[in-house]
Amino acid sequence: EKQLLRLAYNSLRKKVSDALLLVQAKYQGSSEVFAIDMSRENLANIAGTATESLIRTLSDFKNEKLIDIIDGRVTILNQKKLENLCN
């Protein structure tokens, strides 16, 4: 129920940051650096947005130095700022 409310009412930036943090929390192993190796389409489905919108938002996040994208893998650089976007 909480996830449906977030998908319905949160801004695009909140949806994408929440999806990144959700994937990180679920799949991060013991390493400190975590790279999300997932298709943009799957990540967009988790965020509840269109793939094109997700890609634009990821690009914005990269320009703001919140994430880095290398070879299609998304690495979270500033987890605290992403968490602040969710609140």
Side-chain angles (χ1 to χ4, degrees):
E1 187 177 314
K2 285 182 183 180
Q3 187 174 5
L4 288 174
L5 288 172
R6 276 187 254 138
L7 290 175
Y9 295 111
N10 283 349
S11 71
L12 180 60
R13 290 174 60 87
K14 283 185 181 182
K15 289 179 187 180
V16 174
S17 62
D18 189 43
L20 290 172
L21 293 170
L22 179 73
V23 170
Q24 179 187 26
K26 186 167 185 173
Y27 296 109
Q28 184 170 20
S30 59
S31 66
E32 287 185 27
V33 177
F34 178 71
I36 299 168
D37 190 13
M38 181 180 287
S39 74
R40 297 299 184 257
E41 185 178 353
N42 287 341
L43 195 53
N45 288 335
I46 292 170
T49 187
T51 306
E52 296 82 5
S53 299
L54 174 98
I55 292 169
R56 278 194 306 274
T57 306
L58 289 177
S59 180
D60 290 343
F61 285 176
K62 183 177 178 180
N63 291 336
E64 295 169 25
K65 307 284 190 238
L66 300 177
I67 63 168
D68 195 15
I69 302 172
I70 300 172
D71 295 329
R73 294 175 178 223
V74 178
T75 304
I76 295 175
L77 300 176
N78 195 331
Q79 183 175 345
K80 292 290 182 195
K81 283 190 179 182
L82 283 177
E83 289 170 352
N84 287 339
L85 286 174
C86 293
N87 297 330

